[in-house]
């Protein structure tokens, strides 16, 4: 454990605020407790409203310099950050695993996502394109251009402690913005390690202090003051729907901008023509991966009644083989939940499933003995449910999978869309009409819709995000960069005349 902290550069007491230098903070202590062994693995002195103010000021100051660096040169610095992350991939991956309980391959996979988005952002730095328009007035030229926006507040959840920051930060940096990161208090060591790596690259390139900033603390001491601050024009927040509602109201109150990436309740429709072997493998990966703690985790299977039993048996057979244990061990497929609070939430949901008429078909037990004595390890669970059960409409952030039988295809789509969240979705079918209907505007209502590939994970090249209670935000690839810039429409009159709009003549 000590080696993991040392290799990632986060041993010893940390300060909770960074803005080119580490500030001394006096707002209590924040501890990082590993779900792997229940031990405190790191401590930071917490930041408070005073540090938030200082950091925001520094980020505003740095913005005035950073925005004047040509975008491709900003891209070159992001390229170097990507290289530094490549060098530190194993060390950071192990830290993600230790701090959040993800298996090592998922920890390293998350760092790979940071590297990939850095590469993407380098190319994007030469493609911040605006459109040219034909003016209706003779001798006039019209076009739009994209300018840097200002400091961007990035609030991240515990379950993707580094990737989500990079999806935002790499794009914000090439866009000419400075970045203020408020990580989850449950995973701040990962954030400190990544901040140190990025800051070193910025320093080597003589960038001003305050381009990349960090604030460690809870919602009250850091989150609220950051979100309220009118000098931060954009807040990109990833977390629960409750968090998004709170933040959206505060930022809207000051007419700021938000990118909201909130909870999901992702479903897969399995039709009679599906390849059940492929389907079962995709479901197990999507439902059990990261111990059911991904925003894109597969939670609901809407399966045709004719193939219900075969799929159920295949899934139970596969669940029995999931090796649960130390996420840093090579053979482990599922690690612990983030903390005992998450286990309590899971058990509470299982009680409600039974009281609302559902049936637990497999798993749902808290493990004990040896490493399991932390109380954070559970067996993943499969339940039979029906779409009307209120618990099915909620996102329980744990490995609970609902099997919901359907009779006809329209009913399946209606069940699929009948939840408040709208992040990721999939259909497994070999019937063209079914797959095309699912992808059409009367099909899936989610931000992500897949055919014969599961709900979990997403490639950085596409815009990532969801509809309805998932918040409507988009980040990472495609044209998501536009949210980090301000659009300006420009008209240049080279005619020597002054034709006024609506044919009005001012005789002066
Ligand atoms: P959470 O909502 O408890 O916390 C997320 C972050 O928001 C933390 O940093 C927290 O301190 C901060 N926060 C909470 N309330 C705040 C407020 N009022 N003002 C400012 N900051 C506030 O979420 P979590 O338990 O860390 O993560 C799990 C949730 O995140 C799940 O719902 C999951 O689906 C969601 N998630 C969504 C995505 C996505 O891209 N859609 C990605 C990852 C996680």
């Amino acid at each position: 454990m000590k080696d993991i902290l040392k290799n990632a550069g986060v041993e010893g007491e940390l300060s909770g605020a960074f803005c080119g230098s580490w500030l001394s903070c006096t707002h209590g202590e924040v501890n990082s407790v590993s779900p792997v062994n229940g031990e405190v693995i790191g401590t930071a002195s917490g930041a408070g409203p005073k540090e938030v103010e200082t950091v925001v000021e520094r980020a505003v100051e740095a913005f005035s310099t950073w925005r004047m660096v040509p975008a491709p040169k900003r891209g070159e610095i992001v390229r170097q950050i990507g290289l530094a992350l490549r060098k530190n991939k194993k060390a950071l991956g192990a830290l993600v695993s230790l701090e959040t309980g993800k298996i090592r391959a998922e920890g390293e996979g998350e760092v790979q996502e940071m590297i990939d988005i850095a590469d993407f952002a380098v190319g994007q730095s030469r493609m911040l394109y605006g459109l040219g328009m034909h003016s209706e007035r003779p001798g006039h030229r019209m076009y739009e251009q994209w300018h840097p926006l200002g400091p961007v507040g990035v609030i991240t959840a515990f379950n993707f402690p580094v990737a989500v920051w990079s999806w935002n930060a790499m794009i914000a940096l090439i866009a000419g913005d400075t970045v203020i990161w408020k990580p989850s208090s449950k995973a701040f060591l990962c954030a400190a390690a990544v901040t140190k790596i990025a800051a070193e690259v910025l320093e080597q390139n003589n960038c001003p202090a305050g381009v990349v900033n960090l604030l460690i603390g809870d919602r009250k001491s850091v989150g609220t003051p950051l979100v309220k601050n009118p000098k931060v024009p954009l807040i990109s927040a990833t977390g629960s729907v409750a968090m998004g509602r709170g933040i959206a109201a505060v930022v809207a109150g000051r007419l700021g901008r938000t990118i909201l990436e909130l909870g999901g309740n992702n479903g897969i429709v399995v039709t009679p023509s599906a390849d059940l072997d492929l389907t079962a493998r995709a479901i197990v990966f999507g439902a059990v991966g990261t111990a059911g703690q991904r925003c894109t985790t597969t939670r609901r299977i809407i399966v045709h009644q004719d193939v219900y039993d075969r799929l159920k048996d295949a899934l139970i057979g596969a669940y029995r083989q999931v090796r649960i244990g130390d996420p840093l061990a090579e053979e482990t497929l599922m690690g612990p939940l983030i903390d005992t609070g998450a286990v309590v939430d899971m058990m509470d949901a299982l009680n409600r499933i039974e009281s609302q008429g559902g049936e637990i078909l497999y798993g749902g037990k808290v493990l004990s003995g040896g490493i399991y004595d932390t109380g954070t390890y559970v067996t993943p669970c499969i339940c039979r449910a029906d779409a009307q059960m209120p618990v099915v409409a909620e996102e329980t952030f744990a490995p609970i999978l609902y099997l919901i039988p359907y009779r006809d295809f329209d009913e399946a789509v209606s069940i699929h869309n009948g939840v408040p969240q709208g992040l990721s979705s999939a259909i497994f079918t070999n019937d063209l009409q079914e797959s095309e209907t699912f992808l059409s505007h009367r099909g899936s209502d989610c931000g992500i819709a897949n055919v014969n590939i599961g709900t979990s994970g997403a490639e950085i090249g596409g815009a990532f995000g969801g509809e309805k209670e998932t918040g409507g935000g988009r980040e990472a690839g495609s044209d998501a960069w536009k949210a980090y810039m301000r659009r300006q429409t420009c008209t240049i009159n080279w005619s020597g005349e002054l034709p006024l709009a609506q044919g009005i003549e001012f005789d002066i």
Side-chain angles (χ1 to χ4, degrees), residues 156-159 182 219 238-240 243 261-263 295 395 464:
T156 56
F158 79 83
N159 67 325
K182 185 229 158 310
R219 173 169 59 89
T238 298
S240 57
M243 171 279 260
E261 301 281 351
L262 312 177
C295 50
E395 179 201 46
F464 180 85

Side-chain angles (χ1 to χ4, degrees), residues 155-160 164 167 182-186 217-220 222-224 227 237-244 246-247 250 260-264 293-296 299 338 395 397 423 464-466 470 475:
I155 296 176
T156 56
F158 79 83
N159 67 325
F160 275 98
V164 167
W167 293 353
K182 185 229 158 310
S184 164
S185 313
K186 294 176 187 174
D218 62 19
R219 173 169 59 89
K220 267 204 187 136
V222 169
T224 304
V227 166
T238 298
S240 57
V241 171
M243 171 279 260
I247 288 180
V250 173
L260 298 176
E261 301 281 351
L262 312 177
Q293 300 170 111
R294 282 180 178 225
C295 50
T296 52
R299 307 198 180 280
I338 186 70
E395 179 201 46
F397 218 51
L423 181 53
F464 180 85
T470 303
E475 56 195 22

Side-chain angles (χ1 to χ4, degrees), residues 10-74:
V10 287
E11 0 152 62
E13 176 118 356
L14 296 166
S15 147
F18 177 82
C19 50
S21 53
W22 295 91
L23 305 179
S24 87
C25 302
T26 51
H27 218 79
E29 277 194 343
V30 192
N31 290 321
S32 174
V33 179
S34 169
V36 180
N37 52 22
E39 287 176 30
V40 173
I41 55 170
T43 302
S45 53
K50 199 170 87 195
E51 286 77 33
V52 174
E53 197 56 43
T54 308
V55 167
V56 170
E57 285 304 329
R58 191 75 66 85
V60 169
E61 231 174 272
F63 173 65
S64 63
T65 312
W66 182 244
R67 67 182 171 181
M68 300 314 292
V69 176
K73 291 229 164 77
R74 297 194 294 255

Side-chain angles (χ1 to χ4, degrees), residues 1 192 211 377:
M1 184 175 96
V211 173
Y377 293 83

Side-chain angles (χ1 to χ4, degrees), residues 141-200:
R141 184 165 70 83
M142 256 179 100
Y143 75 104
E144 68 180 20
Q145 57 182 349
W146 294 86
H147 288 314
L149 188 62
V152 176
V154 178
I155 296 176
T156 56
F158 79 83
N159 67 325
F160 275 98
V162 293
V164 167
W165 173 79
S166 69
W167 293 353
N168 285 279
M170 301 302 174
I171 302 295
L173 288 176
I174 59 111
D177 301 334
T178 52
V179 178
I180 304 167
W181 185 1
K182 185 229 158 310
S184 164
S185 313
K186 294 176 187 174
F188 64 83
L189 292 177
C190 293
V194 166
T195 299
K196 283 185 178 183
I197 290 169
E200 202 180 313

Side-chain angles (χ1 to χ4, degrees), residues 2 49 62 132 136 202 254 279 320 326 332 342 351 369:
K2 280 211 169 101
E136 62 193 45
L202 288 161
R254 60 175 175 86
T279 309
R320 283 191 209 287
D326 178 354
T332 301
N351 286 336

